[in-house]
Amino acid sequence: MSAGTGFVDLHLHTIHSDGTERPEAVVAMAHQARLQAIAITDHDTLAGLPAAAVAAERHAIELIPGVELSASDGHSDVHILGYFVDPEAPGFATELNRLRDGRHTRAERIVAKLQALGVAIELERVLAIAGSAPIGRPHIAAAIVEAGRATSIEEAFERYLGYRGPAYVPKRTLAPAGAIDLVRQAGGVPVLAHPGSLRRDDLVPGLKAAGLQGIEVWHPKHDPGRVSRYTAMAHALGLAVTGGSDFHGGGRGTAVVGEQPVPSSVLAPLRAQRGAALG
Ligand code: AMP
Ligand code: ZN
Ligand code: FE
Ligand code: FE
């Protein structure tokens, strides 16, 4: 397929964070969906990229190195996608490590709260479910389902782990500007993920001033009205547009690889903003 005529999916999770599929399997799904390029955007880790790169080469799909960082502004969870990040950038791996440590501490606190609520799950089981991945609430939710205290991941969030749930513990996270900086320091292009879930459009101009370079316009949580609204907002602010399925795999949401109509023409403006890793 020639450049600029196909479709891409720039938001994919693997087993290296809270997805259920190996990077090779995700790349194979992208191949099935006839995608031209994909980005693997695991939470706080680049560990899925080497295997994805091998598979992408075999299927002649372009792989964009990516990551998804969680930041918070008050009670709002601001997710920043970073594209074209350089894994070798000085300090980047250390900072990602620190974020993963924070997830571990938080998981301990969530499990303690669950136990106090009479939900008998063990931290060891949660760690085993997470494997080498940064621990996320979906791993804890899986342990709750296993223990028979919820029938699905969604129900585990509703009953215990969600923002209003009794076992909720906030993640010790970066401020949005810190996440944006971290991506820029690693030579990457920071993009605001799923603003339709964030519901804080008022934050976008400030994020742009802090160095944001794009907005995720296509996402399963965005109906056509939101796609138009965020496209217009991106144009007005001089931000690139991106999109993806936010695929996590079977049982963790209903997203399908390649389901969003993201044209490959989004890649050139994104690539043009790529910086050199600073440090
Ligand atoms: P964490 O990074 O540990 O805060 O977990 C966030 C992840 O949990 C998100 O990326 C989603 O995959 C998942 N998640 C958040 N809310 C829900 C929900 N209500 N139902 C199912 N999964 C959710
Ligand atoms: Zn996730
Ligand atoms: Fe997200
Ligand atoms: Fe995501």
Side-chain angles (χ1 to χ4, degrees):
M1 197 173 305
S2 62
T5 58
F7 291 91
V8 304
D9 188 332
L10 303 182
H11 194 155
L12 299 164
H13 295 275
T14 78
I15 198 158
H16 289 279
S17 64
D18 54 2
T20 58
E21 303 297 327
R22 307 196 66 77
E24 303 87 305
V26 175
V27 172
M29 290 175 202
H31 175 70
Q32 282 290 315
R34 300 174 179 276
L35 297 181
Q36 182 176 327
I38 59 168
I40 300 289
T41 53
D42 276 315
H43 301 278
D44 302 342
T45 181
L46 306 174
L49 296 177
V54 171
E57 169 134 31
R58 196 169 56 234
H59 289 297
I61 291 175
E62 182 185 359
L63 175 73
I64 290 146
V67 70
E68 182 173 16
L69 303 176
S70 312
S72 30
D73 186 300
H75 287 313
S76 303
D77 244 346
V78 180
H79 289 185
I80 300 292
L81 294 158
Y83 294 112
F84 298 107
V85 285
D86 175 2
E88 308 292 326
F92 190 45
T94 313
E95 191 56 33
L96 293 180
N97 246 318
R98 213 179 60 80
L99 293 172
R100 294 195 295 265
D101 283 351
R103 285 176 168 278
H104 188 102
T105 313
R106 173 189 183 226
E108 288 174 350
R109 294 178 55 206
I110 293 176
V111 168
K113 278 194 166 188
L114 286 167
Q115 289 170 348
L117 290 163
V119 180
I121 66 163
E122 298 297 330
L123 183 66
E124 284 63 37
R125 185 58 201 142
V126 173
L127 297 179
I129 290 170
S132 59
I135 307 167
R137 281 179 292 164
H139 303 123
I140 303 174
I144 294 173
V145 172
E146 249 181 33
R149 298 301 294 259
T151 55
S152 67
I153 301 283
E154 281 74 18
E155 195 189 326
F157 271 86
E158 267 162 45
R159 293 179 66 170
Y160 302 108
L161 300 173
Y163 176 58
R164 290 187 176 75
Y168 178 75
V169 175
K171 214 168 359 193
R172 199 154 27 87
T173 52
L174 299 158
I180 289 169
D181 260 359
L182 186 55
V183 170
R184 299 278 303 248
Q185 290 281 325
V189 181
V191 170
L192 177 63
H194 43 69
S197 315
L198 175 60
R199 293 170 184 271
R200 288 293 309 272
D201 292 0
D202 60 300
L203 295 177
V204 181
L207 296 174
K208 154 85 184 176
L212 188 77
Q213 294 179 300
I215 298 184
E216 186 175 53
V217 162
W218 293 274
H219 185 277
K221 295 258 168 76
H222 292 178
D223 58 19
R226 283 191 174 132
V227 172
S228 316
R229 184 147 58 96
Y230 292 120
T231 302
M233 190 182 292
H235 288 155
L237 292 170
L239 295 165
V241 297
T242 72
S245 63
D246 209 351
F247 174 78
H248 281 78
R252 298 207 183 138
T254 53
V256 172
V257 176
E259 72 182 347
Q260 296 295 313
V262 187
S264 55
S265 56
V266 303
L267 288 179
L270 208 59
R271 195 179 280 110
Q273 301 203 65
R274 184 166 43 158
L278 311 168

